[in-house]
Amino acid sequence: MNKGLSMKTGQTHMMRFMQPLLERIEKGEIDPSFVISHKVPIDLAPQMYKTFRDKEDNCTKVVLDPWAVEAAAI
């Protein structure tokens, strides 16, 4: 508490980087799918919010897909 430490935060320059990143994804140079841990139908959203909140099942990023079939979920 009395060590003179400070913590600073900032925001990313999203507007600066979004377009170049999207272009690289479209060209196939970058594959962001490794971030997604779960892809589920939208009706499982409440369950997945709890899974994410409780850090269960190695849940890091959930994609809610309204056209996904529940049998193929998780």
Side-chain angles (χ1 to χ4, degrees):
M1 178 172 123
N2 294 324
K3 296 188 182 232
L5 300 175
S6 62
M7 183 173 80
K8 298 180 181 181
T9 62
Q11 295 179 347
T12 186
H13 301 284
M14 193 279 302
M15 297 303 288
R16 177 178 173 194
F17 296 114
M18 183 59 76
Q19 189 61 39
L21 284 171
L22 286 174
E23 289 172 3
R24 292 187 69 189
I25 290 169
E26 289 172 347
K27 291 177 185 175
E29 297 173 7
I30 298 175
D31 180 14
S33 64
F34 72 93
V35 176
I36 300 168
S37 62
H38 295 73
K39 186 173 182 179
V40 297
I42 202 162
D43 51 332
L44 291 181
Q47 175 187 338
M48 292 312 300
Y49 274 106
K50 182 182 178 305
T51 301
F52 180 80
R53 181 195 67 204
D54 296 341
K55 297 177 176 62
E56 298 172 343
D57 197 26
N58 293 321
C59 185
T60 55
K61 178 65 102 177
V62 177
V63 172
L64 300 175
D65 183 354
W67 297 280
V69 177
E70 187 171 334
I74 309 174

Coordinates of all heavy atoms in Angstrom, one line a residue:
M1 N 0.8 -1.2 0.0 CA 0.0 0.0 0.0 C 0.9 1.3 0.0 O 0.6 2.2 -0.7 CB -0.9 0.0 1.2 CG -1.8 1.2 1.4 SD -3.0 0.9 2.6 CE -2.6 2.3 3.7
N2 N 1.9 1.3 0.7 CA 2.8 2.5 0.8 C 4.1 2.4 0.0 O 5.0 3.0 0.4 CB 3.1 2.7 2.3 CG 1.9 3.1 3.1 OD1 1.0 3.7 2.6 ND2 1.8 2.6 4.4
K3 N 4.1 1.6 -1.0 CA 5.3 1.4 -1.8 C 5.3 2.3 -3.0 O 6.2 2.2 -3.8 CB 5.4 0.0 -2.2 CG 5.6 -1.0 -1.0 CD 5.9 -2.3 -1.5 CE 6.1 -3.2 -0.2 NZ 7.3 -3.9 -0.2
G4 N 4.4 3.2 -3.2 CA 4.4 4.1 -4.4 C 4.1 3.4 -5.7 O 4.5 3.8 -6.7
L5 N 3.4 2.3 -5.6 CA 3.1 1.5 -6.9 C 1.9 2.2 -7.5 O 1.0 2.7 -6.9 CB 2.8 0.1 -6.6 CG 3.9 -0.7 -5.9 CD1 3.4 -2.1 -5.5 CD2 5.1 -0.8 -6.8
S6 N 1.9 2.1 -8.8 CA 0.7 2.6 -9.6 C 0.4 1.6 -10.7 O 1.2 0.9 -11.1 CB 1.0 4.0 -10.2 OG 2.1 3.9 -11.1
M7 N -0.9 1.6 -11.0 CA -1.4 0.7 -12.1 C -2.1 1.6 -13.0 O -3.0 2.4 -12.7 CB -2.3 -0.3 -11.5 CG -2.8 -1.3 -12.5 SD -3.7 -2.7 -11.8 CE -5.3 -2.0 -11.6
K8 N -1.8 1.5 -14.3 CA -2.5 2.2 -15.3 C -3.1 1.3 -16.3 O -2.5 0.2 -16.6 CB -1.5 3.1 -16.0 CG -0.9 4.2 -15.1 CD 0.1 5.1 -15.9 CE 0.7 6.1 -14.9 NZ 1.6 7.0 -15.5
T9 N -4.2 1.6 -16.9 CA -4.8 0.8 -17.9 C -5.1 1.7 -19.1 O -5.1 2.9 -19.1 CB -6.1 0.2 -17.4 OG1 -7.0 1.3 -17.1 CG2 -5.9 -0.7 -16.2
G10 N -5.4 1.1 -20.2 CA -5.8 1.8 -21.4 C -6.7 1.0 -22.3 O -6.9 -0.2 -22.0
Q11 N -7.1 1.6 -23.3 CA -7.9 0.9 -24.3 C -7.2 0.7 -25.6 O -6.3 1.4 -25.9 CB -9.2 1.7 -24.6 CG -10.1 1.8 -23.3 CD -11.3 2.6 -23.6 OE1 -11.5 3.2 -24.6 NE2 -12.3 2.5 -22.7
T12 N -7.5 -0.4 -26.3 CA -6.9 -0.7 -27.5 C -7.4 0.3 -28.6 O -8.4 0.9 -28.5 CB -7.1 -2.1 -28.0 OG1 -6.4 -2.4 -29.1 CG2 -8.6 -2.4 -28.3
H13 N -6.6 0.5 -29.6 CA -6.9 1.3 -30.8 C -7.7 0.5 -31.8 O -7.2 0.2 -32.9 CB -5.7 1.9 -31.4 CG -4.9 2.8 -30.5 ND1 -5.2 4.0 -30.1 CD2 -3.7 2.5 -29.8 CE1 -4.4 4.5 -29.3 NE2 -3.4 3.6 -29.1
M14 N -8.9 0.1 -31.4 CA -9.7 -0.9 -32.2 C -9.9 -0.3 -33.6 O -9.8 -1.1 -34.5 CB -11.0 -1.1 -31.4 CG -11.8 -2.3 -32.0 SD -12.8 -2.0 -33.5 CE -13.9 -0.7 -33.0
M15 N -10.3 0.9 -33.7 CA -10.6 1.5 -35.0 C -9.3 1.4 -35.9 O -9.5 1.2 -37.1 CB -11.1 2.9 -34.9 CG -12.4 3.0 -34.2 SD -13.7 2.0 -34.8 CE -14.1 2.9 -36.3
R16 N -8.2 1.5 -35.4 CA -6.9 1.5 -36.2 C -6.6 0.1 -36.7 O -6.1 -0.1 -37.8 CB -5.8 2.0 -35.3 CG -4.5 2.0 -36.0 CD -3.4 2.5 -35.0 NE -2.1 2.3 -35.6 CZ -1.0 2.5 -34.9 NH1 -1.0 2.9 -33.7 NH2 0.2 2.3 -35.5
F17 N -6.9 -0.9 -35.8 CA -6.5 -2.3 -36.2 C -7.5 -3.2 -36.8 O -7.2 -4.2 -37.3 CB -5.9 -3.0 -34.9 CG -4.7 -2.3 -34.4 CD1 -4.7 -1.7 -33.2 CD2 -3.5 -2.3 -35.1 CE1 -3.5 -1.1 -32.7 CE2 -2.4 -1.7 -34.7 CZ -2.4 -1.1 -33.4
M18 N -8.8 -2.8 -36.6 CA -9.9 -3.7 -37.0 C -9.8 -4.0 -38.5 O -9.9 -5.2 -38.9 CB -11.2 -3.1 -36.7 CG -12.4 -4.1 -37.0 SD -12.3 -5.7 -36.2 CE -12.8 -5.2 -34.6
Q19 N -9.8 -3.0 -39.4 CA -9.8 -3.3 -40.8 C -8.6 -4.1 -41.3 O -8.8 -5.1 -42.0 CB -9.9 -1.9 -41.6 CG -10.1 -2.1 -43.1 CD -11.5 -2.8 -43.4 OE1 -12.5 -2.6 -42.7 NE2 -11.4 -3.7 -44.4
P20 N -7.4 -3.8 -40.9 CA -6.3 -4.6 -41.4 C -6.4 -6.1 -40.9 O -6.0 -7.0 -41.6 CB -5.0 -4.0 -40.8 CG -5.4 -2.6 -40.5 CD -6.9 -2.6 -40.2
L21 N -6.9 -6.3 -39.6 CA -7.0 -7.6 -39.1 C -8.1 -8.4 -39.9 O -7.9 -9.6 -40.2 CB -7.4 -7.6 -37.6 CG -6.2 -7.3 -36.7 CD1 -6.7 -7.1 -35.3 CD2 -5.2 -8.4 -36.8
L22 N -9.2 -7.7 -40.2 CA -10.3 -8.4 -40.9 C -9.8 -8.8 -42.3 O -10.1 -9.9 -42.8 CB -11.5 -7.5 -41.0 CG -12.3 -7.4 -39.8 CD1 -13.4 -6.3 -40.0 CD2 -12.9 -8.7 -39.4
E23 N -9.0 -7.9 -42.9 CA -8.4 -8.2 -44.3 C -7.5 -9.5 -44.2 O -7.6 -10.3 -45.1 CB -7.7 -7.0 -44.8 CG -8.6 -5.9 -45.2 CD -7.9 -4.6 -45.6 OE1 -6.6 -4.6 -45.6 OE2 -8.6 -3.6 -45.9
R24 N -6.7 -9.5 -43.2 CA -5.8 -10.7 -43.0 C -6.6 -12.0 -42.8 O -6.2 -13.1 -43.2 CB -4.8 -10.4 -41.9 CG -3.8 -9.3 -42.4 CD -2.7 -9.1 -41.4 NE -1.8 -10.3 -41.5 CZ -0.8 -10.5 -40.6 NH1 -0.6 -9.6 -39.6 NH2 -0.1 -11.5 -40.7
I25 N -7.7 -11.9 -42.0 CA -8.5 -13.0 -41.7 C -9.2 -13.5 -43.0 O -9.2 -14.7 -43.4 CB -9.6 -12.7 -40.7 CG1 -8.9 -12.6 -39.3 CG2 -10.6 -13.8 -40.6 CD1 -9.8 -12.0 -38.2
E26 N -9.7 -12.6 -43.9 CA -10.3 -12.9 -45.1 C -9.3 -13.5 -46.1 O -9.7 -14.4 -46.9 CB -10.9 -11.6 -45.8 CG -12.2 -11.2 -45.0 CD -12.6 -9.8 -45.5 OE1 -11.9 -9.1 -46.3 OE2 -13.8 -9.4 -45.2
K27 N -8.1 -13.1 -46.1 CA -7.0 -13.7 -46.9 C -6.5 -15.1 -46.4 O -5.8 -15.8 -47.1 CB -5.8 -12.8 -47.0 CG -6.1 -11.5 -47.8 CD -4.9 -10.6 -47.7 CE -5.1 -9.3 -48.4 NZ -3.9 -8.4 -48.2
G28 N -6.9 -15.4 -45.2 CA -6.5 -16.7 -44.7 C -5.1 -16.6 -44.0 O -4.6 -17.7 -43.6
E29 N -4.6 -15.4 -43.8 CA -3.3 -15.3 -43.1 C -3.4 -15.5 -41.6 O -2.4 -15.9 -41.0 CB -2.7 -13.9 -43.4 CG -2.5 -13.6 -44.9 CD -2.0 -12.2 -45.1 OE1 -1.9 -11.4 -44.2 OE2 -1.9 -11.8 -46.3
I30 N -4.6 -15.2 -41.1 CA -4.8 -15.4 -39.6 C -6.1 -16.2 -39.4 O -7.1 -16.0 -40.1 CB -5.0 -14.0 -38.9 CG1 -3.8 -13.1 -39.1 CG2 -5.4 -14.2 -37.5 CD1 -4.0 -11.7 -38.6
D31 N -6.0 -17.2 -38.5 CA -7.1 -18.0 -38.1 C -7.5 -17.8 -36.7 O -6.8 -18.3 -35.8 CB -6.8 -19.5 -38.4 CG -8.0 -20.4 -38.0 OD1 -9.1 -19.8 -37.9 OD2 -7.8 -21.6 -37.9
P32 N -8.5 -16.9 -36.4 CA -8.8 -16.6 -35.0 C -9.7 -17.7 -34.3 O -10.0 -17.5 -33.2 CB -9.6 -15.3 -35.2 CG -10.3 -15.4 -36.5 CD -9.3 -16.2 -37.4
S33 N -10.0 -18.8 -35.0 CA -10.9 -19.8 -34.4 C -10.3 -20.5 -33.2 O -11.1 -21.1 -32.4 CB -11.3 -20.8 -35.5 OG -10.2 -21.5 -35.9
F34 N -9.0 -20.4 -33.0 CA -8.4 -21.1 -31.8 C -8.9 -20.5 -30.5 O -8.9 -21.1 -29.4 CB -6.9 -21.0 -31.9 CG -6.3 -19.7 -31.6 CD1 -6.0 -19.3 -30.3 CD2 -6.2 -18.7 -32.6 CE1 -5.5 -18.0 -30.0 CE2 -5.7 -17.5 -32.3 CZ -5.3 -17.1 -31.1
V35 N -9.5 -19.3 -30.6 CA -10.0 -18.6 -29.4 C -11.3 -19.2 -28.9 O -11.6 -19.2 -27.7 CB -10.1 -17.1 -29.6 CG1 -10.7 -16.4 -28.4 CG2 -8.8 -16.5 -30.0
I36 N -12.1 -19.7 -29.8 CA -13.4 -20.2 -29.5 C -13.3 -21.6 -28.8 O -12.7 -22.5 -29.4 CB -14.3 -20.3 -30.8 CG1 -14.4 -19.0 -31.4 CG2 -15.6 -20.9 -30.5 CD1 -15.0 -19.0 -32.8
S37 N -13.9 -21.7 -27.6 CA -13.9 -23.0 -26.9 C -15.2 -23.7 -27.0 O -15.3 -24.9 -26.9 CB -13.5 -22.8 -25.4 OG -14.5 -22.0 -24.8
H38 N -16.3 -22.9 -27.2 CA -17.6 -23.5 -27.3 C -18.5 -22.8 -28.4 O -18.5 -21.6 -28.4 CB -18.4 -23.4 -26.0 CG -17.7 -24.1 -24.8 ND1 -16.5 -23.7 -24.3 CD2 -18.1 -25.3 -24.2 CE1 -16.2 -24.6 -23.3 NE2 -17.2 -25.5 -23.3
K39 N -19.2 -23.6 -29.2 CA -20.1 -23.0 -30.1 C -21.5 -23.7 -29.9 O -21.5 -25.0 -30.0 CB -19.6 -23.3 -31.6 CG -20.5 -22.6 -32.6 CD -19.9 -22.7 -34.0 CE -20.7 -22.0 -35.0 NZ -20.1 -22.1 -36.3
V40 N -22.4 -23.0 -29.4 CA -23.7 -23.6 -29.0 C -24.9 -22.9 -29.6 O -24.8 -21.7 -30.0 CB -23.8 -23.6 -27.4 CG1 -22.7 -24.4 -26.8 CG2 -23.8 -22.2 -26.9
P41 N -26.1 -23.5 -29.6 CA -27.3 -22.9 -30.0 C -27.7 -21.8 -29.0 O -27.3 -21.9 -27.8 CB -28.3 -24.0 -30.1 CG -27.7 -25.1 -29.4 CD -26.3 -24.9 -29.3
I42 N -28.4 -20.8 -29.5 CA -28.7 -19.7 -28.6 C -29.6 -20.1 -27.4 O -29.5 -19.4 -26.4 CB -29.4 -18.6 -29.5 CG1 -29.2 -17.2 -28.8 CG2 -30.8 -18.9 -29.8 CD1 -29.5 -16.1 -29.7
D43 N -30.3 -21.1 -27.5 CA -31.1 -21.5 -26.3 C -30.3 -22.1 -25.2 O -30.8 -22.2 -24.1 CB -32.2 -22.5 -26.7 CG -31.8 -23.7 -27.5 OD1 -30.8 -23.6 -28.2 OD2 -32.4 -24.7 -27.4
L44 N -29.0 -22.4 -25.4 CA -28.1 -22.8 -24.3 C -27.4 -21.6 -23.7 O -26.5 -21.8 -22.9 CB -27.1 -23.8 -24.8 CG -27.7 -25.2 -25.2 CD1 -26.6 -26.1 -25.6 CD2 -28.5 -25.8 -24.0
A45 N -27.7 -20.4 -24.1 CA -27.0 -19.2 -23.6 C -26.9 -19.1 -22.1 O -25.9 -18.9 -21.5 CB -27.5 -17.9 -24.2
P46 N -28.1 -19.3 -21.4 CA -28.0 -19.2 -19.9 C -27.0 -20.2 -19.3 O -26.3 -19.8 -18.4 CB -29.4 -19.4 -19.5 CG -30.3 -19.1 -20.7 CD -29.4 -19.4 -21.9
Q47 N -27.1 -21.4 -19.8 CA -26.1 -22.4 -19.3 C -24.7 -22.0 -19.5 O -23.8 -22.2 -18.7 CB -26.5 -23.8 -19.9 CG -25.5 -24.9 -19.6 CD -25.8 -26.1 -20.4 OE1 -26.9 -26.3 -20.9 NE2 -24.8 -27.0 -20.5
M48 N -24.4 -21.5 -20.7 CA -23.0 -21.2 -21.1 C -22.5 -19.9 -20.3 O -21.4 -19.8 -20.0 CB -22.9 -21.0 -22.6 CG -23.1 -22.3 -23.4 SD -22.1 -23.7 -22.7 CE -20.5 -23.1 -22.9
Y49 N -23.4 -19.0 -20.0 CA -23.0 -17.9 -19.2 C -22.5 -18.4 -17.8 O -21.5 -17.9 -17.3 CB -24.2 -16.9 -18.9 CG -24.3 -15.9 -20.0 CD1 -25.3 -15.9 -21.0 CD2 -23.4 -14.8 -20.1 CE1 -25.4 -15.0 -22.0 CE2 -23.5 -13.8 -21.1 CZ -24.5 -13.9 -22.0 OH -24.6 -13.0 -23.0
K50 N -23.2 -19.4 -17.3 CA -22.8 -20.0 -16.0 C -21.5 -20.7 -16.1 O -20.6 -20.6 -15.3 CB -23.9 -20.9 -15.5 CG -23.6 -21.5 -14.1 CD -24.7 -22.5 -13.7 CE -24.4 -23.1 -12.4 NZ -23.1 -23.8 -12.3
T51 N -21.4 -21.5 -17.2 CA -20.1 -22.2 -17.4 C -19.0 -21.3 -17.5 O -17.9 -21.5 -17.0 CB -20.3 -23.1 -18.7 OG1 -21.4 -24.0 -18.6 CG2 -19.0 -23.8 -19.0
F52 N -19.1 -20.2 -18.3 CA -18.1 -19.2 -18.4 C -17.8 -18.5 -17.1 O -16.6 -18.4 -16.7 CB -18.5 -18.1 -19.5 CG -17.4 -17.1 -19.7 CD1 -16.3 -17.4 -20.5 CD2 -17.5 -15.9 -19.1 CE1 -15.3 -16.4 -20.7 CE2 -16.5 -14.9 -19.3 CZ -15.4 -15.2 -20.1
R53 N -18.8 -18.1 -16.4 CA -18.6 -17.4 -15.1 C -17.9 -18.3 -14.1 O -17.0 -17.8 -13.4 CB -20.0 -17.0 -14.6 CG -19.9 -16.3 -13.2 CD -21.2 -16.2 -12.5 NE -21.6 -17.6 -12.1 CZ -22.8 -18.0 -11.9 NH1 -23.9 -17.1 -12.1 NH2 -23.1 -19.2 -11.5
D54 N -18.3 -19.5 -14.1 CA -17.7 -20.4 -13.1 C -16.4 -21.1 -13.6 O -15.8 -21.9 -12.9 CB -18.7 -21.5 -12.7 CG -19.9 -21.0 -12.0 OD1 -19.8 -19.8 -11.5 OD2 -20.9 -21.7 -12.0
K55 N -15.9 -20.7 -14.7 CA -14.6 -21.2 -15.3 C -14.6 -22.7 -15.4 O -13.6 -23.4 -15.1 CB -13.4 -20.7 -14.5 CG -13.3 -19.2 -14.5 CD -12.2 -18.7 -13.6 CE -12.0 -17.2 -13.7 NZ -13.0 -16.4 -13.3
E56 N -15.7 -23.3 -15.9 CA -15.8 -24.7 -16.0 C -15.5 -25.1 -17.5 O -15.6 -24.3 -18.4 CB -17.2 -25.2 -15.7 CG -17.6 -24.9 -14.2 CD -19.1 -25.2 -14.0 OE1 -19.9 -25.2 -14.9 OE2 -19.4 -25.3 -12.8
D57 N -15.1 -26.4 -17.7 CA -15.0 -27.0 -19.0 C -14.0 -26.2 -19.9 O -14.2 -26.1 -21.1 CB -16.4 -27.1 -19.6 CG -16.4 -28.0 -20.8 OD1 -15.5 -29.0 -20.8 OD2 -17.2 -27.9 -21.7
N58 N -13.0 -25.6 -19.3 CA -12.0 -24.8 -20.0 C -12.7 -23.7 -21.0 O -12.2 -23.5 -22.1 CB -11.1 -25.7 -20.8 CG -10.2 -26.5 -19.9 OD1 -9.7 -26.0 -18.9 ND2 -10.0 -27.7 -20.3
C59 N -13.7 -23.1 -20.5 CA -14.5 -22.2 -21.3 C -13.8 -20.8 -21.4 O -13.6 -20.2 -20.4 CB -15.9 -22.0 -20.7 SG -17.0 -21.0 -21.7
T60 N -13.4 -20.5 -22.6 CA -12.7 -19.2 -22.8 C -13.5 -18.2 -23.7 O -13.5 -17.0 -23.4 CB -11.3 -19.4 -23.4 OG1 -11.5 -20.1 -24.6 CG2 -10.4 -20.1 -22.5
K61 N -14.2 -18.7 -24.7 CA -15.0 -17.9 -25.6 C -16.1 -18.7 -26.1 O -15.9 -19.8 -26.7 CB -14.1 -17.4 -26.8 CG -14.8 -16.6 -27.8 CD -15.3 -15.3 -27.2 CE -14.4 -14.1 -27.7 NZ -14.9 -12.8 -27.2
V62 N -17.3 -18.2 -26.0 CA -18.5 -18.9 -26.4 C -19.1 -18.1 -27.6 O -19.3 -16.9 -27.6 CB -19.6 -18.9 -25.3 CG1 -20.9 -19.6 -25.8 CG2 -19.0 -19.6 -24.1
V63 N -19.4 -18.9 -28.7 CA -20.1 -18.3 -29.8 C -21.6 -18.9 -29.8 O -21.8 -20.1 -29.7 CB -19.4 -18.7 -31.1 CG1 -20.3 -18.3 -32.3 CG2 -18.1 -18.1 -31.2
L64 N -22.5 -18.0 -29.8 CA -23.9 -18.4 -29.8 C -24.4 -18.4 -31.3 O -24.4 -17.4 -31.9 CB -24.8 -17.4 -29.0 CG -24.4 -17.3 -27.5 CD1 -25.3 -16.2 -26.9 CD2 -24.6 -18.6 -26.8
D65 N -24.7 -19.6 -31.7 CA -25.1 -19.7 -33.1 C -26.6 -20.1 -33.2 O -27.0 -21.2 -32.8 CB -24.3 -20.9 -33.7 CG -24.6 -21.1 -35.2 OD1 -25.5 -20.4 -35.8 OD2 -23.9 -21.8 -35.8
P66 N -27.5 -19.2 -33.7 CA -28.9 -19.5 -33.7 C -29.3 -20.7 -34.6 O -30.4 -21.2 -34.4 CB -29.5 -18.2 -34.2 CG -28.5 -17.3 -34.6 CD -27.2 -17.9 -34.1
W67 N -28.4 -21.1 -35.5 CA -28.7 -22.2 -36.4 C -28.0 -23.5 -36.0 O -28.2 -24.5 -36.7 CB -28.3 -21.8 -37.8 CG -29.1 -20.6 -38.3 CD1 -30.4 -20.7 -38.8 CD2 -28.7 -19.3 -38.3 NE1 -30.8 -19.4 -39.1 CE2 -29.8 -18.5 -38.8 CE3 -27.6 -18.6 -37.9 CZ2 -29.8 -17.1 -39.0 CZ3 -27.5 -17.2 -38.0 CH2 -28.6 -16.5 -38.6
A68 N -27.3 -23.5 -34.9 CA -26.6 -24.7 -34.5 C -27.6 -25.7 -33.9 O -28.6 -25.3 -33.4 CB -25.6 -24.3 -33.4
V69 N -27.3 -26.9 -34.1 CA -28.1 -28.0 -33.6 C -27.6 -28.4 -32.2 O -26.4 -28.5 -32.0 CB -28.0 -29.2 -34.5 CG1 -28.9 -30.4 -34.0 CG2 -28.5 -28.9 -35.9
E70 N -28.6 -28.5 -31.3 CA -28.2 -28.7 -29.9 C -27.4 -30.0 -29.7 O -26.5 -30.1 -28.9 CB -29.4 -28.8 -29.0 CG -29.1 -28.8 -27.5 CD -30.2 -28.7 -26.6 OE1 -31.2 -28.1 -27.0 OE2 -30.2 -29.1 -25.5
A71 N -27.6 -31.0 -30.5 CA -26.9 -32.3 -30.4 C -25.4 -32.1 -30.7 O -24.6 -32.8 -30.1 CB -27.5 -33.3 -31.3
A72 N -25.1 -31.1 -31.5 CA -23.7 -30.9 -31.9 C -23.0 -29.9 -30.9 O -21.8 -29.6 -31.1 CB -23.6 -30.3 -33.3
A73 N -23.8 -29.4 -30.0 CA -23.2 -28.3 -29.1 C -22.3 -28.9 -28.1 O -22.3 -30.1 -27.7 CB -24.4 -27.6 -28.4
I74 N -21.4 -28.1 -27.6 CA -20.4 -28.4 -26.6 C -19.6 -29.6 -26.9 O -18.9 -29.8 -27.7 CB -21.0 -28.5 -25.2 CG1 -21.9 -27.3 -24.9 CG2 -19.9 -28.7 -24.2 CD1 -22.6 -27.4 -23.6

